[in-house]
Amino acid sequence: MKTPRARLTWLYTITTGAILLLVITAFLPYTVRDRKKSQLEQFQVIWNSLSSRFMASGALTHQYLAQTEADHQLVIHIMENGVPFLYRGSWKPDTDRQTLIQRARDEADSQGVFMDRAPVSSSILFSSLMTIEGDQNDRYYAMVLAVSTKNGSKSLCALSLIPPVAQSLGETIAFFCFLAVFGMAGLWLVSWRFVGWSLKPVEESQQKQARFIAAASHELRSPLSVLKSAISALSSDPDEKDTLLPLIDSECVRMSRLVDDMLFLASADAKSWSLHMEKVDMDTLLIDLYESFLPVCREHEITLRLELPQLALPSVAGDPQRIRQLLLILLDNARTYTPQNRSIYISAQTNVSKKLLTVQVADEGQGIPDNIKPYIFDRFYQADRSRTDKQHFGLGLSIARELAQLHEGTIRVLDREGGGTCFIVSFPVSG
């Protein structure tokens, strides 16, 4: 079975090739016309050269006649005082030479140009351009010249073979076929690379979606199993409700959080998430955030420090609830990896030149290895797979990145000097 890439490649190649073929087909009539014009012009040039030499020299050698006929597929006939020049020709046309010459003479006679007598009305007479038909579907351009001389007259007749259209276009058609073959091959290669490049985001999206579904299914399976077991135990022993009901409630809350996180990411992917934008006073937001998270840190015997510049921070255009959610994710992540009796730092500063406000959340934890940093914002990614904390699903940092991007900001992670991790979030300053 052909892959989508192969099918699309052949579709693009065949479609583009068909267009190219139509262009070539449309171009052929113009090529035929130009070729005929070129043949006529070539005959006229040869005739002018031949007739000029004939009138100037008075006689043409056998060698010259043979070479000229062979080079241009001509039939040349010369007469002096009605007597033919003894020359048999250097090549054999499809129709008998004498038959062709006689037909050209007959046509010239009808125009008043006679090869066997001197001109009467003028010393030189030229026939018009004539087309002579042969007996084998061969055709020739022809002209006749009659000149008066002191001793009587002399005359010249020249016929030039007109190649059939197919023959005259043989080289052109062969060239077009050559171009078509290599053009199709080139189109196929270009289409293959172009389709591969075009499908890469789709394939990556499908892979991410598959991984997301697999990870979500895995995360949901755990609380569902706990709920199923608890309900079964409760059915068997109703007296255990005081123990089992809190467990059921805890797992329901956990599932609700997971579903909310997944719905948020799905909305972000679909570009359907809307923010309630307003001017956010970052000093107030960071102080409130510090005060609300301080009890959590104290419970885990962690010191929380807030460091703000003396000058008021500029406002940021954004949704205060979503900015708060972003920073809470970073604080909760820092709390998870910070040992007891260590500190978490919240700080902010303004980059005037770039018109950015940056907020840093740093911890004194174990840090993140460099080989893991590129993946920590991936969905369901957990640096510590052995961690048993059921409140984390590996979606927090993914949501933090989406929230930063929704505010036209950025988020990045660095090693903290002295050990630990530092997350830096940048927001555009409100005008």
Side-chain angles (χ1 to χ4, degrees):
M1 182 180 294
K2 291 183 178 179
T3 62
R5 182 178 184 181
R7 288 197 297 268
L8 285 173
T9 298
W10 281 113
L11 175 63
Y12 290 159
T13 303
I14 292 172
T15 302
T16 309
I19 294 173
L20 180 61
L21 181 60
L22 288 174
V23 171
I24 292 175
T25 303
F27 180 71
L28 278 177
Y30 298 97
T31 304
V32 172
R33 184 189 64 186
D34 291 343
R35 183 58 60 90
K36 289 181 177 180
K37 182 180 178 181
S38 175
Q39 291 170 350
L40 177 58
E41 290 174 348
Q42 183 180 12
F43 171 71
Q44 290 174 332
V45 169
I46 296 170
W47 168 257
N48 290 336
S49 175
L50 181 63
S51 60
S52 297
R53 183 162 183 162
F54 174 74
M55 289 186 293
S57 63
L60 300 175
T61 64
H62 281 251
Q63 182 180 0
Y64 173 78
L65 293 174
Q67 186 67 44
T68 303
E69 279 199 358
D71 290 344
H72 305 291
Q73 288 189 300
L74 294 175
V75 174
I76 302 175
H77 181 67
I78 298 174
M79 297 182 71
E80 187 169 358
N81 295 324
V83 179
F85 187 62
L86 296 178
Y87 172 69
R88 295 182 179 180
S90 62
W91 68 291
K92 185 178 181 180
D94 293 338
T95 302
D96 180 69
R97 289 177 63 94
Q98 296 306 318
T99 300
L100 294 173
I101 292 169
Q102 187 58 52
R103 289 177 182 175
R105 289 185 62 182
D106 293 342
E107 183 68 24
D109 288 349
S110 67
Q111 298 181 22
V113 182
F114 302 97
M115 294 191 68
D116 55 357
R117 70 187 75 166
V120 176
S121 60
S122 174
S123 61
I124 302 175
L125 286 179
F126 290 91
S127 71
S128 62
L129 178 67
M130 302 176 292
T131 302
I132 305 301
E133 300 288 343
D135 297 332
Q136 306 297 326
N137 293 322
D138 47 338
R139 302 171 69 245
Y140 303 81
Y141 290 126
M143 288 191 73
V144 172
L145 163 67
V147 182
S148 296
T149 64
K150 294 180 180 180
N151 300 322
S153 67
K154 61 181 181 179
S155 58
L156 170 67
C157 174
L159 298 96
S160 175
L161 177 66
I162 304 173
V165 174
Q167 180 180 343
S168 65
L169 291 178
E171 294 183 359
T172 303
I173 293 174
F175 179 69
F176 280 157
C177 290
F178 175 82
L179 285 182
V181 171
F182 282 88
M184 290 291 286
L187 281 173
W188 193 91
L189 291 174
V190 172
S191 297
W192 179 262
R193 294 183 64 86
F194 176 76
V195 170
W197 175 77
S198 300
L199 290 179
K200 188 175 180 180
V202 177
E203 292 173 350
E204 291 178 350
S205 177
Q206 290 178 337
Q207 293 172 359
K208 288 181 180 179
Q209 185 179 24
R211 290 196 297 267
F212 183 84
I213 293 174
S217 300
H218 174 77
E219 294 292 345
L220 285 170
R221 189 180 297 116
S222 177
L224 286 173
S225 298
V226 173
L227 286 173
K228 184 177 180 180
S229 299
I231 292 173
S232 177
L234 186 60
S235 300
S236 301
D237 187 2
D239 294 335
E240 294 291 327
K241 65 179 182 178
D242 292 338
T243 302
L244 296 176
L245 286 178
L247 176 62
I248 292 173
D249 181 68
S250 174
E251 292 301 319
C252 287
V253 171
R254 181 168 180 255
M255 286 184 63
S256 177
R257 287 188 58 219
L258 176 59
V259 171
D260 287 343
D261 289 347
M262 290 191 297
L263 287 175
F264 173 84
L265 291 172
S267 298
D269 289 340
K271 309 297 182 184
S272 60
W273 189 263
S274 59
L275 300 176
H276 302 287
M277 303 294 286
E278 59 182 77
K279 280 191 175 183
V280 181
D281 184 337
M282 291 301 295
D283 284 302
T284 302
L285 186 145
L286 291 175
I287 292 171
D288 289 345
L289 182 69
Y290 168 79
E291 292 176 349
S292 62
F293 201 74
L294 187 59
V296 177
C297 290
R298 287 175 177 171
E299 181 182 351
H300 291 83
E301 300 181 17
I302 296 172
T303 302
L304 180 64
R305 303 180 185 276
L306 175 63
E307 301 173 353
L308 296 177
Q310 292 183 350
L311 297 177
L313 294 171
S315 299
V316 168
D319 186 329
Q321 295 302 319
R322 294 304 170 186
I323 294 177
R324 179 185 177 87
Q325 179 185 1
L326 189 167
L327 298 177
L328 277 173
I329 290 172
L330 299 182
L331 285 171
D332 188 54
N333 186 77
R335 191 271 308 165
T336 301
Y337 291 100
T338 300
Q340 291 180 348
N341 302 317
R342 297 289 182 89
S343 300
I344 296 174
Y345 302 88
I346 307 172
S347 61
Q349 60 184 11
T350 306
N351 186 326
V352 179
S353 61
K354 295 184 179 180
K355 297 183 179 180
L356 294 176
L357 184 146
T358 59
V359 179
Q360 298 183 12
V361 176
D363 62 62
E364 295 179 344
Q366 61 188 11
I368 301 175
D370 290 340
N371 63 321
I372 292 178
K373 286 187 177 75
Y375 309 105
I376 62 172
F377 294 104
D378 292 349
R379 298 173 186 184
F380 290 106
Y381 182 83
Q382 295 178 358
D384 184 4
R385 297 286 181 179
S386 63
R387 192 180 67 217
T388 58
D389 183 0
K390 292 185 178 181
Q391 298 304 314
H392 294 83
F393 307 100
L395 292 178
L397 292 178
S398 299
I399 294 174
R401 180 175 61 179
E402 295 292 343
L403 287 170
Q405 292 175 350
L406 285 172
H407 286 83
E408 300 181 356
T410 60
I411 183 171
R412 55 196 176 100
V413 61
L414 299 174
D415 292 330
R416 178 182 173 275
E417 186 177 352
T421 302
C422 178
F423 284 90
I424 303 174
V425 186
S426 299
F427 300 100
V429 172
S430 173

